[in-house]
Amino acid sequence: MRATPQTEETIAAIRADARFRHACEVMRAEHERTVQDIIALTEIPAPPFGEEKRAAAYLEMLRAHGLEEVEQDAVGNVMGLRRGFGNGDILVVAAHLDTVFPAGTDVRVRREGTKLFAPGVGDDTRSLAVNLAFLRAMDAAGIRTRHDILFLGDVGEEGLGDLRGVRHLFAHHPKRARFRAFLTVDSPDVERIVTGGIGSRRYRVTFRGPGGHSFAAFGLVNPVYAMAEAARALAAIPVPREPVTTHCVSVVAGGTSINAIPEAVTMEVDLRSAGAEELAKLEAAFLAGVEAAVAAENAARQGTLKAEVQRVGDRPAGHTPNGAPIARLAAAAVAAEGYTPGFEWSSTDANIPMSLGIPALRIGSGGTGGRAHSLEEWIDVEIESSLRGMRASLATILAVAEMELSA
Ligand SMILES: [Zn+2]
């Protein structure tokens, strides 16, 4: 992925600047503190819809870092503003507070050498700590930016959280009209810059009938037959490769006993597309398939069953063009550290600003890691690879926020 000469120059100028170099030294000197922040935050559970404790702790950390207008909003996001010298335009720099792990998960961190093992440690707790490290380094080095930077710890990025934190921010924050760009620091990897937001619609469909004895009541409508037909209909829907579009029946549940026609069965369905129109088409075809399956089962047997259709997820699709300045700057910053940047599609907090036409990317927190969304999740906080990625992301942030260069 090539950066334009102009963006390469911008990044080179930032990297050569004495204050940026000073900031990098501060990050090096404070690396163990950053690691301790990662551990402390990881060990505060933040299950889906249960981020309060971690949010409260992070709010205090933002306050302790001297930000202005430190606050928690109505959905639980916490944030604070680092004032710029410009006209009040704002770059939002986010990391998400929530993990995929349910309440009760053991979130204690095991440290083996430079590796930290714990659920959520890389996705996205490391980034919460790294954003604080950026802030301390910028302050210690006296770095000034034209744009204000709103540092955000947001709720509801994962799964059925449905991006509710960032969605709320862009719908209700009093200064939302000044949001000019959005960077979410999410997971360690800095090489793969996310410029595309995969949209998704998620459904839970419950097929409900009278139920009865498998033998004595034979001939009654069977919710499983309707559900199976709806699943088969979804499987048969053709989808384009471009824009990439996918469907999945992912969870099924229900039934009473092996010798009973069930009263209720449920299936959960995940529909995704890089294109808003394709996603809408797929959704319509899926819903038509459910309706047809219910009608077919009601026609085939006695009694009546119904489908209760519940939309449990709605993430808008969006795209920051790969030629957009923000994408070029990020690619140049990543390349300047000797990485090979690539632009990718994913589903992240950046979907929301992308869908609104606001330049947005996912960038990385540095270092390496793996097994995200599993109990074996790990990161490596080895200092050189950590700082290398952090320098790339800090340079991106400062380029987008228009850092004031030393004379
Ligand atoms: Zn994440």
Side-chain angles (χ1 to χ4, degrees), residues 96 123-124 157-158 186-187:
H96 63 85
D123 180 12
D124 186 26
E157 194 272 345
E158 298 284 5
D186 191 351
S187 304

PDB file of all heavy atoms in Angstrom, residues 96 123-124 157-158 186-187, ligand 1:
ATOM      1  N   HIS A  96     -11.928   0.489  23.108  1.00  0.00           N
ATOM      2  CA  HIS A  96     -13.188   0.046  23.728  1.00  0.00           C
ATOM      3  C   HIS A  96     -12.950  -0.624  25.073  1.00  0.00           C
ATOM      4  O   HIS A  96     -11.974  -1.358  25.270  1.00  0.00           O
ATOM      5  CB  HIS A  96     -14.038  -0.798  22.779  1.00  0.00           C
ATOM      6  CG  HIS A  96     -13.471  -2.105  22.312  1.00  0.00           C
ATOM      7  ND1 HIS A  96     -13.584  -3.269  23.032  1.00  0.00           N
ATOM      8  CD2 HIS A  96     -12.824  -2.443  21.167  1.00  0.00           C
ATOM      9  CE1 HIS A  96     -13.040  -4.272  22.345  1.00  0.00           C
ATOM     10  NE2 HIS A  96     -12.555  -3.794  21.217  1.00  0.00           N
ATOM     11  N   ASP A 123      -7.497  -7.248  23.193  1.00  0.00           N
ATOM     12  CA  ASP A 123      -8.708  -6.731  22.526  1.00  0.00           C
ATOM     13  C   ASP A 123      -9.718  -6.356  23.603  1.00  0.00           C
ATOM     14  O   ASP A 123     -10.526  -7.173  23.978  1.00  0.00           O
ATOM     15  CB  ASP A 123      -9.263  -7.789  21.577  1.00  0.00           C
ATOM     16  CG  ASP A 123     -10.518  -7.315  20.844  1.00  0.00           C
ATOM     17  OD1 ASP A 123     -10.815  -6.124  20.892  1.00  0.00           O
ATOM     18  OD2 ASP A 123     -11.198  -8.157  20.243  1.00  0.00           O
ATOM     19  N   ASP A 124      -9.678  -5.160  24.160  1.00  0.00           N
ATOM     20  CA  ASP A 124      -8.882  -4.081  23.619  1.00  0.00           C
ATOM     21  C   ASP A 124      -8.182  -3.349  24.753  1.00  0.00           C
ATOM     22  O   ASP A 124      -7.878  -2.170  24.654  1.00  0.00           O
ATOM     23  CB  ASP A 124      -9.817  -3.140  22.835  1.00  0.00           C
ATOM     24  CG  ASP A 124      -9.071  -2.047  22.086  1.00  0.00           C
ATOM     25  OD1 ASP A 124      -7.907  -2.261  21.748  1.00  0.00           O
ATOM     26  OD2 ASP A 124      -9.661  -0.983  21.874  1.00  0.00           O
ATOM     27  N   GLU A 157     -18.627  -2.264  22.124  1.00  0.00           N
ATOM     28  CA  GLU A 157     -18.077  -2.499  20.783  1.00  0.00           C
ATOM     29  C   GLU A 157     -18.326  -3.924  20.334  1.00  0.00           C
ATOM     30  O   GLU A 157     -18.569  -4.185  19.159  1.00  0.00           O
ATOM     31  CB  GLU A 157     -16.568  -2.213  20.776  1.00  0.00           C
ATOM     32  CG  GLU A 157     -15.954  -2.107  19.370  1.00  0.00           C
ATOM     33  CD  GLU A 157     -15.487  -3.425  18.769  1.00  0.00           C
ATOM     34  OE1 GLU A 157     -15.361  -4.430  19.500  1.00  0.00           O
ATOM     35  OE2 GLU A 157     -15.257  -3.471  17.554  1.00  0.00           O
ATOM     36  N   GLU A 158     -18.237  -4.859  21.283  1.00  0.00           N
ATOM     37  CA  GLU A 158     -18.254  -6.287  20.924  1.00  0.00           C
ATOM     38  C   GLU A 158     -19.686  -6.823  20.773  1.00  0.00           C
ATOM     39  O   GLU A 158     -20.599  -6.396  21.477  1.00  0.00           O
ATOM     40  CB  GLU A 158     -17.544  -7.102  22.010  1.00  0.00           C
ATOM     41  CG  GLU A 158     -16.067  -6.758  22.211  1.00  0.00           C
ATOM     42  CD  GLU A 158     -15.171  -7.334  21.114  1.00  0.00           C
ATOM     43  OE1 GLU A 158     -15.682  -7.920  20.155  1.00  0.00           O
ATOM     44  OE2 GLU A 158     -13.943  -7.178  21.251  1.00  0.00           O
ATOM     45  N   ASP A 186      -7.400  -0.436  18.303  1.00  0.00           N
ATOM     46  CA  ASP A 186      -8.093  -1.672  18.653  1.00  0.00           C
ATOM     47  C   ASP A 186      -7.235  -2.868  18.263  1.00  0.00           C
ATOM     48  O   ASP A 186      -7.064  -3.148  17.078  1.00  0.00           O
ATOM     49  CB  ASP A 186      -9.459  -1.709  17.952  1.00  0.00           C
ATOM     50  CG  ASP A 186     -10.341  -2.828  18.486  1.00  0.00           C
ATOM     51  OD1 ASP A 186      -9.843  -3.674  19.255  1.00  0.00           O
ATOM     52  OD2 ASP A 186     -11.531  -2.861  18.121  1.00  0.00           O
ATOM     53  N   SER A 187      -6.697  -3.554  19.259  1.00  0.00           N
ATOM     54  CA  SER A 187      -5.852  -4.740  19.097  1.00  0.00           C
ATOM     55  C   SER A 187      -4.436  -4.334  18.677  1.00  0.00           C
ATOM     56  O   SER A 187      -4.225  -3.243  18.158  1.00  0.00           O
ATOM     57  CB  SER A 187      -6.467  -5.729  18.116  1.00  0.00           C
ATOM     58  OG  SER A 187      -7.773  -6.067  18.573  1.00  0.00           O
TER      59      SER A 187
HETATM   60 ZN    ZN B   1     -11.770  -4.930  19.666  1.00  0.00          ZN
END
